């Protein structure tokens, strides 16, 4: 196996799932993982969504994502019954990681600061196969 293209520094954090109703999704995941595994609901203004994290292991989560109206970038995905949204990784240097991924033909989208991560820099990137990945600076 040739490891010269392996990227170090990607630490898996969560899988993002789109939901129609945050309350019912929280109820469902509370039954699976317990009420203590559920975070508070957080509004991410720049993305026009509200999110909630479900802890499924020590450092791994499911992020429930509900659009806040028709202008939300994820609203049309949910209307098309897309529920899997993205995978997310924490990284030490988001700008360096973006440059490295661009060299591998990933399409880098805009940076934003997310209320879900204490306003730390985040960004979405599309893989060459059009899968969506979120990067979160640690």
């Amino acid at each position: 196996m040739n490891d010269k293209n392996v990227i170090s520094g990607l630490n898996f954090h969560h899988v993002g799932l789109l939901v129609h109703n945050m309350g019912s999704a929280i109820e469902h995941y509370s039954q699976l993982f317990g009420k203590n595994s559920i975070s508070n609901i957080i509004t991410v203004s720049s993305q026009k969504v509200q999110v909630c994290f479900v802890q499924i292991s020590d450092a791994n989560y499911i992020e429930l994502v509900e659009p806040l109206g028709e202008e939300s970038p994820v609203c049309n995905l949910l209307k098309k019954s897309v529920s899997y949204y993205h995978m997310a990784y924490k990284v030490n240097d988001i700008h360096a990681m973006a440059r490295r991924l661009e060299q591998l033909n990933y399409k880098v989208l805009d940076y934003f600061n997310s209320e879900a991560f204490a306003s730390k820099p985040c960004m979405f990137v599309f893989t060459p196969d059009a899968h969506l990945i979120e990067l979160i600076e640690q």
Side-chain angles (χ1 to χ4, degrees):
M1 176 187 241
N2 181 354
D3 286 345
K4 78 176 190 174
N5 287 329
V6 171
I7 296 180
S8 62
L10 289 171
N11 300 304
F12 181 79
H13 185 265
H14 70 264
V15 170
L17 302 178
L18 298 175
V19 299
H20 289 281
N21 182 288
M22 186 65 75
S24 10
I26 287 172
E27 184 178 323
H28 168 76
Y29 284 101
S30 291
Q31 292 172 358
L32 289 176
F33 298 103
K35 291 183 193 277
N36 292 337
S37 68
I38 309 295
S39 78
N40 291 328
I41 297 172
I42 304 159
T43 299
V44 181
S45 304
S46 63
Q47 301 299 300
K48 297 178 178 75
V49 297
Q50 63 179 5
V51 301
C52 177
F53 291 92
V54 180
Q55 187 171 12
I56 58 174
S57 71
D58 285 344
N60 300 136
Y61 301 83
I62 296 170
E63 179 188 32
L64 305 174
V65 181
E66 180 182 23
L68 292 174
E70 296 289 322
E71 66 283 350
S72 172
V74 299
C75 191
N76 285 336
L77 292 173
L78 198 53
K79 284 179 181 177
K80 295 176 184 176
S81 297
V82 173
S83 58
Y84 167 77
Y85 179 35
H86 67 273
M87 291 182 49
Y89 297 89
K90 288 202 168 184
V91 298
N92 288 327
D93 183 338
I94 199 165
H95 297 284
M97 185 61 69
R99 287 190 300 273
R100 178 69 178 113
L101 291 173
E102 282 180 316
Q103 293 171 351
L104 297 174
N105 296 318
Y106 283 61
K107 183 179 186 223
V108 174
L109 304 178
D110 291 334
Y111 292 89
F112 61 98
N113 293 338
S114 177
E115 294 90 336
F117 300 103
S119 293
K120 291 186 179 181
C122 298
M123 65 180 295
F124 284 101
V125 298
F126 277 110
T127 69
D129 294 326
H131 298 135
L132 191 61
I133 294 176
E134 181 180 18
L135 301 177
I136 306 152
E137 192 161 272
Q138 296 190 54

